[in-house]
Amino acid sequence: MNFELSDEQKMIQQSVERFVQDNYDLNTRISLSSDDLGYSDDYWKSMAELGWLGLPFDESDGGFGGNQIDVLVIMEQFGKGLVLEPYLASIVMGGGALKKGGTESLKKEILPGLVEGTKQLSFAYAEQQSRFDLEDVITSARKEGDNFILNGQKSMVQNAETADHIVVVARTSGGQIDENGITLFLIDAKSDGLSMDHFPTVDGLRASEIILENVSVNVDRVIGNVDEGFEILQSVANDAILALSAEALGAMEVLYKDTVEYTQQREQFDHPMSEFQVLQHRMVDMFMEYEQCKSMLYRATMESVQDPKSAQRTIHGLKHLIGKSGLFVGENAVQLHGGMGVTEELRVGHFFKRLLVIDAMFGNADHHLQKFTTY
Amino acid sequence: MDIELSSEDLTFIKEVRAFFEENKIKKDEDYFTWRNNWFEKAKKKGGWDVPKWPAKFGGPGWTPTQHYIWEQETTKATIPFDIPFGLGMLAPILMGYGNEEQQERFLPPIRERTVNWCQGYSEPGAGSDLANLKTKAVLSEDGTYYTVNGSKMWTTLAHVADWIFCLTRTDDSGIKQKGITFLLFPMKQEGIEVKPIITLGGAHTVNTVHFTDVKVPVENRIGEEGKGWTYAKGLLEHERTGLAGLSRSLFELENLKDLARTVTRGNSNLMNDSGYKAKIAELEIDLMATEYTELRSLASASAGAELGPESSILKLKGTEIKQRIQKLTVEASGIYSPAWGEKSIGFPFAKGGTTGYLNSRYFTIYGGASEVQKDVIAKKVLGLTKRSSK
Ligand SMILES: Cc1cc2nc3c(=O)[nH]c(=O)nc-3n(C[C@H](O)[C@H](O)[C@H](O)COP(=O)(O)OP(=O)(O)OC[C@H]3O[C@@H](n4cnc5c(N)ncnc54)[C@H](O)[C@@H]3O)c2cc1C
């Protein structure tokens, strides 16, 4: 039993931590978020140079052979600054799909650029009717000679605005909610027939609705096997859940610590508010939720590294806990900050909003609770 | 025990409904013309434009049951918006503690909705501990005016208000609650600077307000110098019972069920999702109980008794329920709850739901934070004392 990070991981942790401290104060984040791009191109380049973008990829693909634990290390620190760069969408989700199912030639074509920071990916899976069910896919892909023709709509796609390629989940056979018959395609973002509607999300990030009208894609752009894409999709979703949960953990740490600090400084009724027992206990509760989430994240991450299949139930448990505890910590951080907590001026409100969004991504607390009970 | 409404009450319900029906806004009608006419007609009904005002000041003089009926009916009907500061907060203070001249001067424009008021109580250092306020008012040597200096914070709608009712400090030699003076003065004058505070939903409704040598004639002081705390406290209690908003919640819960029915889940909809349905049911049960808590409180008020202990939990329960409704609206939006910006993405209710959820966090902070409310109940209802700080 060993929960220590390796020396290399500790180095990465420190360098990400420093990066976030130096570059991600609230005002910088707000101004980056409202810029045209929505994040910093310079930061993205630095992340590439520091080797973070290549971390989860195999050495043969230009990466550093890391795994989910390495991603955890990065994402947890990102969570402390609410980093805007598209690490999750491009590296964990888009890149993850290629890593898991891409042909050698697709990987050769895309991954080196991804690792160098010159190419970006996006991952389009959700649809209006699907809610949180991964297998609920209507967007269709019909075979025509050497091509597939895609039609349908994809929702809440992250980083589609700046992506060069989009991994699209579509149905090649079977009924609307069959796991069989799902196929993943790598589609050029500038393809004919592909149109996008971009919009901001409440946490300061961006997303897009994508419409596919007779978008043609060659069979050699299929990721994994035709009809058998669900396994890759599930696996990408699991990695994304681990990464998001790590980010949430970083955000929760900021929230409970900021609250402890604020209540020690703020005086009402001639006492620092931290002296009120009811607030002390509330902060202990926040701290406990944070620690429990950390334990569950470690558990789910290590089980995933060991044996992804048997980790599935734990991952449902993790996302349930992160959703529920994240909002508990967020709501109470706001409550204990009083009026200041509901302003845009303090960072607590921003972290709270990110946790709200994280709960809505890849299934909310309720969804994963129900999934958990099916095992 | 008996829950039948009297035949007078039943007639009253019919009358209220008929009034709302007759005076609905018509297609293409200008909103503000309609709003003015609506209040004009409500006034002619015998003070329906100021339902909460006592008969002595032109209100309808309803029984508590009639007030309850009105509350319920208004949530179902389209009635014009109102801002509570003048009508619901300052007016009772003017009636209770203002002199006749002040009542004649200030009440009619409040009733006509021609003057907008804002509430200048909270300050950077005076939130839950309101008596800690520091905005200074110094009486001139000839005793004709005060000079006000200091800062207010969280002042809702200060940027559109014509007047402010303001708690100021005229004496800091004794205990905090003494030496507070209640002043009224216009907002649009030199020496007053209003700056926006942007809240989580991105909206500008609250402000900081800075006063530099603002002159206020003594005629604009309510009651005696140094007694402002007593006047304001009565009002705060008024504000707190009004914040439960149960009829509104009943309406919104039904609305939420309708929204959830538009969200498909497989072959069915979200209202048939076992997890979601259970949460709605739990909320509804809580709301049913709280509705009767309110009715019990109302019944004792009708009987002229002191408000019972049950009324103290109304704000706590009511605000918690409102927050849960908002949270479940966010859950109903599912993947679309993060969508923001100008366009409507996914479900038409998604963005409003998320905004509503973020804004609902205020409910347990203003008008007495929940923790402070519980302190009051512990002390006043359960008779508990705090461990002394020694
Ligand atoms: C949207 C909005 C609109 C407002 N509009 C107005 C307005 O128009 N006019 C006006 O005058 N004011 C207004 N307010 C101010 C409001 O009344 C204050 O925010 C409120 O009194 C709480 O004060 P505070 O924000 O300074 O929080 P603090 O007093 O700093 O309290 C912060 C938190 O500490 C906890 N706490 C405080 N005291 C205790 C205690 N004794 N025991 C245990 N826990 C405690 C509570 O959780 C509380 O939420 C508004 C506030 C908001 C958010």
Side-chain angles (χ1 to χ4, degrees):
Chain A
M1 194 75 18
N2 172 19
F3 293 108
E4 284 281 302
L5 295 174
S6 69
D7 287 346
E8 256 171 63
Q9 287 164 338
K10 275 186 201 150
M11 265 170 56
I12 296 174
Q13 186 180 47
Q14 282 163 9
S15 86
V16 185
E17 187 173 25
R18 206 168 326 117
F19 177 86
V20 169
Q21 268 168 12
D22 294 347
N23 298 297
Y24 259 102
D25 61 280
L26 181 61
N27 287 333
T28 309
R29 182 183 191 267
I30 290 174
S31 76
L32 283 178
S33 153
S34 49
D35 270 0
D36 274 355
L37 193 58
Y39 63 86
S40 159
D41 207 28
D42 289 343
Y43 289 178
W44 191 245
K45 288 201 186 98
S46 307
M47 291 179 188
E49 278 158 22
L50 290 161
W52 303 345
L53 305 189
L55 207 55
F57 299 108
D58 294 339
E59 279 160 33
S60 56
D61 295 323
F64 301 97
N67 60 21
Q68 289 97 332
I69 300 176
D70 301 281
V71 173
L72 181 160
V73 168
I74 291 186
M75 289 300 290
E76 183 183 2
Q77 299 308 318
F78 279 0
K80 294 186 190 171
L82 304 180
V83 164
L84 296 158
E85 284 68 33
Y87 196 85
L88 180 78
S90 196
I91 305 299
V92 178
M93 288 156 68
L98 276 177
K99 174 184 168 177
K100 289 166 204 287
T103 59
E104 282 311 311
S105 80
L106 275 189
K107 287 200 271 191
K108 284 247 141 47
E109 178 192 330
I110 307 288
L111 292 184
L114 201 67
V115 169
E116 285 162 18
T118 52
K119 273 203 177 74
Q120 284 190 14
L121 294 179
S122 167
F123 189 81
Y125 69 101
E127 298 181 356
Q128 163 118 31
Q129 83 293 340
S130 69
R131 199 167 161 84
F132 302 124
D133 295 330
L134 295 175
E135 67 282 1
D136 190 335
V137 178
I138 296 181
T139 295
S140 68
R142 178 170 39 84
K143 186 106 189 283
E144 245 178 43
D146 276 347
N147 294 321
F148 277 94
I149 311 295
L150 275 69
N151 279 289
Q153 183 169 352
K154 289 287 163 184
S155 279
M156 298 301 293
V157 186
Q158 290 178 71
N159 197 44
E161 200 171 341
T162 44
D164 304 283
H165 301 274
I166 302 170
V167 178
V168 174
V169 177
R171 183 159 291 288
T172 34
S173 72
Q176 183 180 329
I177 55 170
D178 289 339
E179 288 182 8
N180 282 327
I182 289 173
T183 307
L184 274 55
F185 298 90
L186 185 73
I187 292 189
D188 193 313
K190 297 200 180 62
S191 299
D192 283 344
L194 187 154
S195 56
M196 299 197 230
D197 194 0
H198 311 302
F199 53 91
T201 47
V202 67
D203 54 354
L205 276 81
R206 311 273 172 91
S208 310
E209 295 287 296
I210 298 183
I211 294 177
L212 303 145
E213 275 174 309
N214 294 319
V215 174
S216 176
V217 53
N218 195 277
V219 286
D220 63 14
R221 315 298 278 179
V222 169
I223 300 174
N225 295 327
V226 172
D227 284 347
E228 292 171 10
F230 183 74
E231 218 173 300
I232 303 172
L233 169 60
Q234 175 96 284
S235 172
V236 169
N238 286 345
D239 284 354
I241 287 174
L242 293 174
L244 273 173
S245 300
E247 186 188 345
L249 191 72
M252 286 163 75
E253 183 180 341
V254 167
L255 283 170
Y256 95 73
K257 287 188 172 163
D258 273 12
T259 307
V260 168
E261 201 183 309
Y262 183 80
T263 55
Q264 284 172 316
Q265 285 166 0
R266 170 94 173 148
E267 287 193 15
Q268 287 285 273
F269 305 101
D270 303 318
H271 290 273
M273 291 201 323
S274 57
E275 287 181 15
F276 296 126
Q277 195 173 29
V278 64
L279 299 190
Q280 289 181 353
H281 285 195
R282 193 82 53 81
M283 289 187 275
V284 170
D285 287 339
M286 292 162 71
F287 160 73
M288 283 170 50
E289 297 286 329
Y290 160 78
E291 288 293 342
Q292 289 289 87
C293 282
K294 189 177 209 168
S295 299
M296 198 64 173
L297 175 64
Y298 282 5
R299 178 172 191 148
T301 306
M302 291 202 278
E303 283 181 22
S304 298
V305 170
Q306 241 166 20
D307 175 14
K309 273 248 156 14
S310 68
Q312 189 63 55
R313 188 168 186 256
T314 311
I315 285 179
H316 289 311
L318 168 68
K319 190 63 176 32
H320 167 72
L321 201 64
I322 288 284
K324 195 175 67 165
S325 306
L327 285 182
F328 175 84
V329 171
E331 288 177 352
N332 279 294
V334 167
Q335 177 71 21
L336 269 54
H337 278 78
M340 285 310 295
V342 302
T343 66
E344 297 267 291
E345 278 164 46
L346 286 193
R347 62 179 183 171
V348 283
H350 298 262
F351 281 74
F352 169 47
K353 288 195 274 189
R354 179 65 186 149
L355 288 169
L356 181 68
V357 171
I358 288 178
D359 183 42
M361 288 168 72
F362 289 99
N364 66 8
D366 214 29
H367 171 82
H368 286 285
L369 185 65
Q370 293 192 40
K371 282 277 177 194
F372 186 86
T373 61
T374 61
Y375 282 76
Chain B
M1 287 181 114
D2 166 15
I3 58 163
E4 292 269 308
L5 290 174
S6 68
S7 65
E8 289 87 5
D9 290 334
L10 292 172
T11 317
F12 180 67
I13 291 182
K14 280 196 195 128
E15 201 186 339
V16 170
R17 285 189 186 158
F19 179 79
F20 289 162
E21 186 58 35
E22 266 165 42
N23 295 294
K24 275 200 303 213
I25 187 160
K26 299 197 180 53
K27 228 179 136 222
D28 302 328
E29 192 171 356
D30 173 64
Y31 185 88
F32 284 92
T33 316
W34 167 70
R35 184 171 180 262
N36 287 340
N37 289 337
W38 197 97
F39 286 125
E40 199 54 47
K41 285 188 192 137
K43 189 175 182 179
K44 291 207 182 95
K45 288 290 287 182
W48 287 21
D49 58 328
V50 284
K52 297 217 168 108
W53 288 18
K56 187 175 159 226
F57 289 95
W62 287 332
T63 63
T65 312
Q66 284 176 308
H67 280 292
Y68 179 75
I69 290 169
W70 177 263
E71 277 279 314
Q72 289 232 311
E73 295 301 322
T74 51
T75 60
K76 296 179 219 157
T78 321
I79 65 161
F81 77 89
D82 246 341
I83 298 167
F85 299 111
L87 214 57
M89 297 184 180
L90 176 61
I93 293 196
L94 283 166
M95 294 168 193
Y97 310 103
N99 58 37
E100 232 167 85
E101 191 224 339
Q102 288 169 335
Q103 291 170 353
E104 274 163 28
R105 183 172 161 210
F106 294 113
L107 287 176
I110 289 178
R111 182 170 192 169
E112 305 304 326
R113 277 92 172 159
T114 49
V115 170
N116 289 320
W117 287 84
C118 63
Q119 180 193 37
Y121 287 10
S122 309
E123 295 180 6
S128 302
D129 183 13
L130 183 58
N132 199 38
L133 61 95
K134 302 257 185 314
T135 293
K136 228 179 164 65
V138 180
L139 190 61
S140 61
E141 265 170 31
D142 63 2
T144 55
Y145 65 91
Y146 289 95
T147 305
V148 179
N149 278 289
S151 298
K152 292 288 168 186
M153 196 169 180
W154 310 116
T155 324
T156 303
L157 298 179
H159 55 302
V160 293
D162 306 298
W163 282 71
I164 184 167
F165 54 97
C166 195
L167 290 178
T168 60
R169 179 153 307 281
T170 38
D171 180 5
D172 52 16
S173 59
I175 62 161
K176 286 191 214 168
Q177 285 75 6
K178 294 238 168 83
I180 292 174
T181 298
F182 200 112
L183 298 178
L184 316 176
F185 49 92
M187 284 294 286
K188 309 262 153 53
Q189 60 170 305
E190 232 176 275
I192 299 186
E193 191 191 5
V194 180
K195 285 192 185 146
I197 303 174
I198 305 301
T199 44
L200 287 187
H204 168 206
T205 52
V206 291
N207 305 274
T208 45
V209 183
H210 303 286
F211 307 121
T212 318
D213 293 332
V214 176
K215 305 265 182 293
V216 181
V218 278
E219 302 90 85
N220 290 9
R221 185 188 68 217
I222 299 283
E224 290 172 46
E225 181 175 296
K227 293 262 173 77
W229 182 253
T230 323
Y231 312 146
K233 234 179 86 180
L235 176 93
L236 282 182
E237 257 139 45
H238 203 85
E239 186 183 337
R240 282 169 197 181
T241 43
L243 288 171
L246 290 179
S247 335
R248 185 85 215 151
S249 289
L250 282 164
F251 174 78
E252 283 184 0
L253 179 66
E254 289 311 310
N255 200 15
L256 174 59
K257 289 182 191 171
D258 287 340
L259 294 182
R261 284 187 195 100
T262 67
V263 177
T264 46
R265 297 286 291 120
N267 300 327
S268 185
N269 64 62
L270 192 58
M271 269 314 285
N272 288 320
D273 176 281
S274 57
Y276 195 77
K277 195 162 65 175
K279 285 191 197 173
I280 292 271
E282 250 180 318
L283 176 61
E284 188 164 351
I285 293 166
D286 238 353
L287 190 46
M288 285 167 76
T290 315
E291 203 188 352
Y292 258 55
T293 304
E294 186 177 47
L295 286 176
R296 282 168 56 209
S297 152
L298 207 68
S300 49
S302 305
E306 283 262 309
L307 281 186
E310 69 282 349
S311 60
S312 64
I313 72 175
L314 279 174
K315 197 237 165 188
L316 281 166
K317 270 290 160 192
T319 49
E320 179 208 311
I321 285 169
K322 287 203 278 191
Q323 289 181 337
R324 279 161 66 193
I325 292 175
Q326 295 303 331
K327 201 166 183 172
L328 285 171
T329 313
V330 169
E331 280 187 35
S333 324
I335 59 168
Y336 293 114
S337 62
W340 207 239
E342 310 293 309
K343 303 170 204 162
S344 163
I345 302 291
F347 302 115
F349 61 84
K351 190 185 167 195
T354 301
T355 313
Y357 169 72
L358 293 173
N359 290 344
S360 76
R361 304 320 306 170
Y362 312 161
F363 302 160
T364 46
I365 295 172
Y366 63 27
S370 293
E371 292 81 0
V372 179
Q373 290 287 106
K374 285 186 185 170
D375 264 2
V376 172
I377 299 177
K379 194 168 143 195
K380 293 218 172 127
V381 182
L382 305 186
L384 300 172
T385 49
K386 276 199 184 161
R387 193 181 59 173
S388 72
S389 28
K390 278 276 144 69

